[in-house]
Amino acid sequence: MKKIAIIGGGIIGAVTAYYLTKANYAVEVYDEGIGQATKASAGIIAPWLSKRRNKKWYSLAKDGAAFYAKFVHDLALDETIYHQTGALLVRPKDKLESLAELAQTRRKEAPEIGDITLLDPTRVSTIFPLLNAQAALMISGGAKLNGHALLIHLYRQIEANGGKIIQQKAHFKKNTTGYQVMTDTTTSTVELICLTSGPRVKELLAPLEYHVDIRPQKGQLIVFETDLATKHLPVALLDGEADLIPLANGKILLGATHENDAKYDLTPTSEAFTNLTQSIARFLSSPEGLFNTPYRYQVGTRAYTSDFAPFFDQLPHEEIFVASGLGSSGLTTGPLIGYLLAQKIQGQSLDLTRYQKPLDTYITKS
């Protein structure tokens, strides 16, 4: 059985490692943890009403949401990590009926959507007291995910299954017996490499003369520490780019920014706080009541391709598997991608074309 190194311990790498160690593979996961998108994120698992035109991406996101039933069962995730509390879509009233129709149509292939309910303004402010009285659409199948808590849980399971978590930055080179993985203090020879390190996939493959269409994007979240009962509140997808994600213990996350020019900069900025809070103030019953509570930042680096679609597969003629480009939907699609990679590494023949363009759309040999 092959010894495997996974460089990148975010959502894809950790899930891949979990399923491989569960199948008794020897796995080493390398990740220094700095700037990791999963660690800094919280996710809304409710992709069904996306207006993105990329049908392959929607198939991946839809099936990624459906995969959570198995994923939650396999890992015994509790409500502090994954909680299906529903999703409120707050939109102008004249758009809600068409959204409800779209939801009814998509539920035929995605029953995970659950109940679809148009809510009057009074009902919305009752369900989510922070919000103004305004109409919304409730999707009962929507869920929230705590990315950091999920990673901690995954790492524990990987180690319990005999895998290793090495919290150092790693690179690799090809040799006559396989691949040599190196950190500042360790060296390991493995037979198979899995690269799941977000935008760093580009620099990791450069020595082998591959060009990767990937770029880093900075994302900032604001975490408000309130005294509200937040555990059972639904997520709120507001009209615009900012959303509210209530986690347990009074935490309410607001985000996230999409900063294309910041590259790997992880410095929290007051501009992020201003932009995010101003974008949602009109939706709140008492904006100052939330914005004046204690808060902190969570900052990470996402990976994007030119067409905003992910890629994941094996490089031709190499024992190297790659996955990147998840963008802001990583917590929805990442677990399914990690599971599929683990299946392919174990030798299963899978057709991934329903989910993505050919791999050479994103990775080319010089």
Side-chain angles (χ1 to χ4, degrees), residues 328-362:
S328 57
S329 60
L331 294 185
T332 297
T333 61
L336 176 58
I337 291 173
Y339 176 77
L340 293 173
L341 282 181
Q343 297 303 300
K344 287 210 73 171
I345 289 169
Q346 291 176 72
Q348 291 199 24
S349 178
L350 300 175
D351 180 10
L352 302 179
T353 58
R354 64 177 297 192
Y355 296 137
Q356 61 179 339
K357 296 175 182 178
L359 191 61
D360 61 13
T361 305
Y362 308 101

Side-chain angles (χ1 to χ4, degrees), residues 96-122:
L96 289 177
E97 288 191 6
S98 62
L99 271 178
E101 291 175 3
L102 177 62
Q104 294 287 357
T105 299
R106 289 188 168 175
R107 187 168 63 175
K108 296 173 183 177
E109 294 186 351
E112 298 78 21
I113 289 178
D115 297 329
I116 302 160
T117 309
L118 283 168
L119 301 178
D120 62 45
T122 302

